[in-house]
Amino acid sequence: MMLAIMMANAGGAWDNSKKYIEIEGACGGKGTETHKACVVGDTVGDPFKDTSGPSLNILIKLMSIISLTIAPLMEDNDDWDVWYYGLIPLGFMIIGTYVSYRAFWMEGIDITGPVTKDVENSKEDEPLKEEPVVKAEVEVGA
């Protein structure tokens, strides 16, 4: 469900950014690098919102029907005396989040890929340095 919501919102944002540049002339208008990037984003955004929007509608209806079906079963349930048992999974999630943060983001692992830039010793106009790509040729025998 979270992925579907993200896809619907991102698709709409990408679509609206292209319209904003074309209609309002923002960021230089049509023909600029920003417009080309927005066209690429719109190419991804259209399928995002066209596929996840209708599926969200079905999902919301399904969740409503299931909750209305289960609600009468929980009406006379006296198990609410041990509500604090629900804090155990919450504690595990908080600890797991902290461990993940310490393992990945606190250590400063570079997840940006092969494009690197020395921030301290670079000039603003200097382009990014790309690492060389090694291509191997393979011969197929008869």
Side-chain angles (χ1 to χ4, degrees):
M1 181 171 174
M2 296 301 292
L3 180 64
I5 291 172
M6 184 275 310
M7 287 173 63
N9 287 333
W14 278 330
D15 186 39
N16 290 337
S17 67
K18 186 186 84 153
K19 289 177 185 174
Y20 178 64
I21 288 178
E22 289 178 351
I23 295 171
E24 299 290 327
C27 299
K30 288 185 178 181
T32 61
E33 291 295 320
T34 306
H35 180 254
K36 291 177 186 175
C38 284
V39 169
V40 172
D42 184 51
T43 305
V44 175
D46 282 339
F48 266 30
K49 63 182 179 162
D50 292 343
T51 56
S52 63
S55 66
L56 273 175
N57 187 21
I58 295 168
L59 184 64
I60 291 169
K61 288 180 183 178
L62 179 67
M63 288 183 351
S64 300
I65 289 173
I66 289 175
S67 64
L68 288 172
T69 304
I70 292 176
L73 300 174
M74 299 183 69
E75 183 179 17
D76 294 327
N77 195 351
D78 293 331
D79 289 339
W80 299 107
D81 296 335
V82 289
W83 62 271
Y84 48 87
Y85 286 162
L87 296 177
I88 295 171
L90 177 64
F92 279 120
M93 285 187 274
I94 290 173
I95 291 170
T97 303
Y98 178 73
V99 168
S100 299
Y101 173 75
R102 294 286 296 178
F104 296 106
W105 289 282
M106 193 78 173
E107 300 298 323
I109 296 172
D110 184 25
I111 59 172
T112 59
V115 178
T116 60
K117 183 176 182 180
D118 187 9
V119 178
E120 295 176 3
N121 299 326
S122 66
K123 298 177 183 176
E124 291 295 325
D125 299 335
E126 184 178 327
L128 293 177
K129 300 173 190 170
E130 292 190 19
E131 294 180 2
V133 178
V134 178
K135 295 182 179 178
E137 293 183 17
V138 179
E139 292 184 22
V140 179

